[in-house]
Amino acid sequence: MSSKTKIVVFHMKEIIYTAIFAALGILLILLLLFMFLPGHTKGKQTSKDYKPGIYTANMTLNNTPLEVEVSVDKNHINSIRFANLDESVETMYPLVQPAMEEIAGQIIKSQSTDKIKAGEDDSYTSNLILDTIQKALKKAEAD
């Protein structure tokens, strides 16, 4: 049996392209592993300790008293709402309820009053509501 020598010719361009694509593939796999591994959290939340219950704080909107109610358990903010919002207040101040819902949604999602974005149309109202929520949360904080 005679063995014939076979010569294989590679072009340097093909080798470089293969090495680049292999490196990109490995990089993509590593990136996906780091992103989706359990235990890897994007923004580690620092939860505060609260005394469970419902806490209120008052605010005045053009001589109209409003009461903000914050419900918390041991380390979570569960809900934020107006306790005594009637139709006359909603009619006089139509942006109050949407501002409250937006701010409450952001706070409940992040479990913090930091970095809350107020709307452009209702920045005064949003800041007033945020200050009132912070007062109620101060009452709820565990010593």
Side-chain angles (χ1 to χ4, degrees), residues 84-130:
N84 61 350
L85 188 65
D86 58 1
E87 288 183 19
S88 63
V89 174
E90 281 189 86
T91 304
M92 291 293 291
Y93 307 105
L95 297 178
V96 168
Q97 187 62 29
M100 171 59 94
E101 290 170 0
E102 183 176 335
I103 290 172
Q106 291 179 36
I107 291 173
I108 291 171
K109 183 177 179 183
S110 67
Q111 293 295 311
S112 172
T113 57
D114 300 333
K115 299 179 183 176
I116 300 298
K117 295 178 185 173
E120 291 178 15
D121 296 338
D122 55 359
S123 62
Y124 173 76
T125 306
S126 296
N127 289 330
L128 189 62
I129 292 170
L130 187 59

Side-chain angles (χ1 to χ4, degrees), residues 6-132:
K6 293 185 179 182
I7 299 174
V8 179
V9 177
F10 291 107
H11 295 283
M12 189 59 133
K13 190 184 213 182
E14 292 174 357
I15 294 174
I16 292 173
Y17 285 154
T18 303
I20 289 173
F21 285 127
L24 286 174
I26 291 170
L27 183 66
L28 179 66
I29 290 171
L30 288 174
L31 180 68
L32 289 172
L33 284 174
F34 283 121
M35 284 177 56
F36 295 113
L37 277 178
H40 175 73
T41 56
K42 188 173 182 179
K44 294 191 178 185
Q45 298 176 353
T46 57
S47 62
K48 292 185 178 181
D49 287 334
Y50 299 111
K51 292 180 276 186
I54 298 174
Y55 298 89
T56 60
N58 294 318
M59 66 182 257
T60 304
L61 197 63
N62 199 18
N63 295 329
T64 305
L66 295 173
E67 190 174 45
V68 174
E69 188 176 88
V70 179
S71 172
V72 295
D73 60 14
K74 183 163 174 55
N75 52 8
H76 293 289
I77 302 169
N78 295 327
S79 69
I80 302 170
R81 67 181 189 92
F82 285 118
N84 61 350
L85 188 65
D86 58 1
E87 288 183 19
S88 63
V89 174
E90 281 189 86
T91 304
M92 291 293 291
Y93 307 105
L95 297 178
V96 168
Q97 187 62 29
M100 171 59 94
E101 290 170 0
E102 183 176 335
I103 290 172
Q106 291 179 36
I107 291 173
I108 291 171
K109 183 177 179 183
S110 67
Q111 293 295 311
S112 172
T113 57
D114 300 333
K115 299 179 183 176
I116 300 298
K117 295 178 185 173
E120 291 178 15
D121 296 338
D122 55 359
S123 62
Y124 173 76
T125 306
S126 296
N127 289 330
L128 189 62
I129 292 170
L130 187 59
D131 289 341
T132 308

